[in-house]
Amino acid sequence: MAKLYINEKNKKGHINSEIYGHFSEHLGRCIYEGLYVGEDSDIPNTHGMRNDVVAALKEMEIPVLRWPGGCFADEYHWKDGIGPKEKRKKMINTHWGGVVEDNSFGTHEFFELCEQLGCKTYINGNVGSGTVQEMSEWVEYMTFEGVSPMAELRKKNGHEKPWKIDFFGVGNENWGCGGNMTPEYYANLYRRYQTYVRVYNPDKPIFKICGGPNVADYTWTGDVLKTAFYNVPGEAHGLMDGLSLHYYVHPEGWELKGSATEFDKKVWYKTLAKAKYIEELIQKHGTIMDVYDPEKKIGLIVDEWGTWFTCEPGTNPGFLYQQNTMRDALVAGVTLDIFNRHCDRVKMANIAQLVNVLQSVILTEGPRMLLTPTYHVFHMYKHHQDAELLDSCLDGAETIGEEEDYMVPNLSESVSLGKDGMITITLNNLSAEAASDMDIAFAQLKPAEVKASILTQEMHAHNTFQDPEKVKEQEFTAFTTDAEGIHCVIPPCSVLSFRVKA
Ligand code: AHR
């Protein structure tokens, strides 16, 4: 029997909506086919954006979208993607599958997409192969309101008013595909490039993100902060507002990765243990950040995370297309619980990637679309967005697993209070086979109005175009309430969400 204690009177921090953010790169079928099909497509679209995908993402309440990469960002030259489409440069996407990139999706299309989605914008600039002038002109093109060469160019291309950049990344993985730089070298470039990410309208500040570490590269974090962290007296955040972190879960390591759909229980637990490892990364990188920024003014921005398996057999290996099972759902659930619990430092996170690439929430095949188990988790967790984290403590969790190095607690949770006065409790049962009895107790609240939904199936279950609704969120009624709280049995391999009127 496990017991979850919730002190609904003790608010621990604010959960930024952007923790539930997403990432779309010019990679495989994410942008082209997945999101953008062009105005002339037979697939129903609005200004080229798929209506079915946009509607599903709005329902999921996507808060922010990162674009154009990834590794692609440090090879992207934004001027190739503006102006009449027939005149846009065609190029080979050397990073991802060697296919022709016709640049028909560019700056205007990205802002159109975000407008349709009603989400914030996160642009990733090019430091690896781009100039300071190129980056500075892009920001001018997107955001300058008055008379200037780039503002004129934007107007000539049909957009009179400037857009709003909410987040701007100064390079991507500059320790690797973004230029193979040393931390000191990148940090100096960061200082220089970010200077020209000008905020032309003080009412529309741009949140600047410095390129952070890969996984456990604590040296990168320390060395970059040593050079690039600079707290300007009187200014809230100095030269940066955020530092990124990238972490992918490969059950069999970077080389082998492992199948997305064929795995045994040993690999199930190994995958979940590797997902839980992100908590250690947040704590350790966070401790280094605390040295420079004890007030936690800058955010840890986990702008790439999720599972990365061996690509689906028979597909282009450069397209990173993979299926999505209940295992992905649990990875998403435990990771989002961790982000919620560390919302004092984690200010944004962007799962990789939105459609048809890595741990996607949506898969498409021609005109068809399906929602993955990961989609349903984001849908169930959406109530945590912009809510206050509540104090909670889980007692009685068991340690489970099949290998000493990859043991996990059988349960994971996070609890928040929304602006609508509802408490959201999310719970994951990581066990592949055992149900868990659960009591939920509050400090004072006697729960009266309670609703719940659940995602549960056997561990390999996934949605296919033949059976697109095998795994889906369902109403959960197998619980009781009394003066002591809520009582239920959480089925194995499940993600559960309670909504309780406070
Ligand atoms: O998400 C796929 C790739 O993973 C991104 O392009 C890159 O930033 C990371 O290595």
Side-chain angles (χ1 to χ4, degrees), residues 480-500:
T480 57
T481 58
D482 57 24
E484 305 297 313
I486 304 171
H487 317 278
C488 67
V489 177
I490 313 180
C493 186
S494 63
V495 183
L496 179 57
S497 160
F498 281 103
R499 302 266 293 146
V500 183

Side-chain angles (χ1 to χ4, degrees), residues 380-413:
M380 291 164 76
Y381 273 63
K382 69 181 180 182
H383 307 289
H384 284 308
Q385 289 190 29
D386 204 20
E388 299 304 312
L389 179 74
L390 292 182
D391 198 4
S392 64
C393 165
L394 192 55
D395 185 38
E398 290 164 33
T399 302
I400 55 172
E402 301 212 335
E403 292 170 285
E404 212 186 315
D405 288 346
Y406 300 110
M407 303 298 282
V408 287
N410 66 332
L411 296 164
S412 141
E413 47 75 35

Side-chain angles (χ1 to χ4, degrees), residues 23 25 27 66 69-72 96 172-173 175 177 246 248 254 304 308 320 352-353 357-358:
F23 170 37
E25 181 166 11
L27 194 178
R66 176 177 184 235
C71 294
F72 185 80
W96 304 118
N172 168 72
E173 297 195 351
W175 37 261
C177 66
H246 288 183
Y248 286 99
W254 167 248
E304 288 186 33
W308 187 327
L320 311 186
Q353 297 192 6
V357 171
L358 301 177

Side-chain angles (χ1 to χ4, degrees), residues 22 63 132 141 170 195 197 264 326 399 408:
H22 291 262
V132 174
Y141 185 88
V170 181
T195 308
V197 179
D264 56 17
M326 277 305 295
T399 302
V408 287

Side-chain angles (χ1 to χ4, degrees), residues 440-462:
I440 303 173
F442 298 87
Q444 290 170 7
L445 181 75
K446 315 256 177 283
E449 287 177 40
V450 184
K451 280 191 168 171
S453 65
I454 191 163
L455 192 71
T456 188
Q457 273 281 355
E458 65 86 28
M459 64 182 181
H460 303 103
H462 56 278

